[in-house]
Amino acid sequence: MKFRRGKIAGMCAVVVMAAAYAGAQELGPGFTKVKDGIYVFAAKDGNSTCSVVLTQDGPVVIDTCQTPPDTHRLMAGIKKLTDKPVRFVLDTEVHNDHTFGHWVFSPPAVVINAEGAGEAMKKGFDPKRLETLTAQSPEMAEAVKGYKIIAPQLEYRNRMTINLGERTFELYYLKNVHSEADTAIWLPKERVLFAASAANVRSFINLRPFVRIQDLLASYKLMKSLNPEFVVPGHGAVSTTKIFDEYEAFYTLLMKRVGEMAAQGKSLDDIKKELKMPEYADWTGQNNLPQNITVAYESLKK
Ligand SMILES: [Zn+2]
């Protein structure tokens, strides 16, 4: 009797799961439904994630996708879900592969990121990028029509709360974790966290020189303390807080090894030549190891 009940329960679980994901399939390939009204899109593995959160008062977009055709795919998906205009675009960082597509939504949407985001976007602006993209393919040329740079119209300092319809979005500024302005976005009722690029999925991250390992570790601690059920990384599949544990272990080991070698009097160049992380041989982005070492070395001085 017990066995039969278990079997039926198992079958029910399969049926429920299939129904929950049917919504994402209707939106097209690359969409994942995280929870009711919360969808993540990435055209292929490793691309930046871009997401939409539906509310009674209109949708909110989080990041605007890896490429302009992807931005239009996200917009087409949103139009299948609602006829309301996008109210806000929330950026998790400033880089192009998350922010180039702003113009597809704004205006009328208002773009928001932490203080310094607009300045960094303008500084990183490549005036030739539009030309290069247009020359890439007819599809790309079509996708970039009407492009103009849209910097965030609103910048906040440290924390911001947005109440829209039935949802609450809490924005947390993450200092020195990836770009000049990084934001984690937390939906407390739904327990879904958009974690920016402080941690991705089993990949050596392209750490900029100003990133500090202590700040990365502090961001994992903060984000874990929120107790999310689902974590949406800046790149990679929807996961859980296990990605924070993995990166915490990785950077802790990296700091330990760099620290030991520096204490032996080795120069940064020597350390870069000698230090290996064989435990992480299956992570992607191995070419980023040397600059991860540089950042760890600089972090030792803090
Ligand atoms: Zn980035």
Side-chain angles (χ1 to χ4, degrees):
M1 189 64 189
K2 251 186 175 171
F3 174 72
R4 250 184 91 186
R5 264 212 342 241
K7 203 173 164 192
I8 291 165
M11 280 167 69
C12 284
V14 171
V15 171
V16 168
M17 225 174 121
Y21 280 89
Q25 278 157 13
E26 282 158 27
L27 301 180
F31 279 90
T32 304
K33 181 175 175 177
V34 183
K35 283 204 166 175
D36 274 343
I38 305 176
Y39 300 86
V40 177
F41 175 69
K44 57 179 183 202
D45 198 32
N47 273 15
S48 68
T49 56
C50 49
S51 309
V52 61
V53 180
L54 302 177
T55 84
Q56 288 157 359
D57 291 344
V60 172
V61 163
I62 298 173
D63 288 343
T64 56
C65 314
Q66 182 85 28
T67 68
D70 292 350
T71 312
H72 290 292
R73 280 181 201 117
L74 175 66
M75 183 54 135
I78 295 169
K79 282 185 172 159
K80 286 181 192 167
L81 294 165
T82 176
D83 52 10
K84 295 187 173 108
V86 174
R87 296 289 302 274
F88 297 110
V89 171
L90 311 180
D91 287 341
T92 66
E93 60 165 275
V94 310
H95 297 147
N96 262 328
D97 56 338
H98 298 255
T99 61
F100 191 78
H102 284 168
W103 98 98
V104 173
F105 308 98
S106 179
V110 174
V111 183
I112 304 174
N113 194 0
E115 188 174 35
E119 194 192 325
M121 265 187 75
K122 284 171 191 163
K123 224 166 93 186
F125 179 72
D126 173 5
K128 289 214 176 100
R129 186 177 160 91
L130 190 61
E131 213 178 299
T132 314
L133 285 172
T134 305
Q136 235 174 58
S137 69
E139 189 206 11
M140 190 64 85
E142 185 60 30
V144 297
K145 268 188 186 159
Y147 167 80
K148 63 174 180 170
I149 183 171
I150 305 283
Q153 291 95 357
L154 281 182
E155 295 190 353
Y156 72 95
R157 195 177 287 174
N158 295 323
R159 286 280 301 272
M160 182 184 204
T161 302
I162 299 170
N163 293 302
L164 186 66
E166 73 282 33
R167 309 245 199 215
T168 297
F169 301 79
E170 292 177 1
L171 279 57
Y172 289 81
Y173 168 62
L174 304 177
K175 186 180 75 159
N176 292 342
V177 302
H178 179 70
S179 78
E180 291 85 344
D182 298 314
T183 296
I185 297 149
W186 170 231
L187 277 66
K189 282 176 280 199
E190 300 80 355
R191 292 182 54 223
V192 176
L193 176 71
F194 296 85
S197 289
N200 288 332
V201 178
R202 302 177 71 77
S203 167
F204 289 83
I205 297 175
N206 176 3
L207 297 184
R208 272 63 176 188
F210 55 81
V211 170
R212 288 295 170 265
I213 304 293
Q214 293 88 335
D215 291 323
L216 277 168
L217 298 177
S219 80
Y220 304 146
K221 202 173 164 193
L222 167 76
M223 291 192 281
K224 282 202 283 189
S225 76
L226 299 170
N227 191 25
E229 184 183 353
F230 293 108
V231 174
V232 183
H235 293 258
V238 178
S239 188
T240 64
T241 55
K242 85 172 205 280
I243 64 169
F244 303 137
D245 296 332
E246 286 170 357
Y247 277 86
E248 195 178 273
F250 169 71
Y251 288 125
T252 303
L253 184 60
L254 181 70
M255 282 290 272
K256 181 174 176 276
R257 288 190 179 149
V258 172
E260 283 166 0
M261 292 169 93
Q264 290 162 14
K266 289 186 172 151
S267 71
L268 175 58
D269 280 343
D270 289 340
I271 299 172
K272 277 198 213 165
K273 270 181 223 142
E274 289 172 32
L275 178 54
K276 302 277 180 283
M277 296 293 277
E279 300 85 350
Y280 297 89
D282 61 337
W283 282 25
T284 59
Q286 295 281 331
N287 58 320
N288 288 327
L289 179 58
Q291 31 112 319
N292 279 214
I293 292 170
T294 304
V295 166
Y297 186 85
E298 294 300 319
S299 297
L300 287 172
K301 297 176 189 166
K302 198 174 167 182

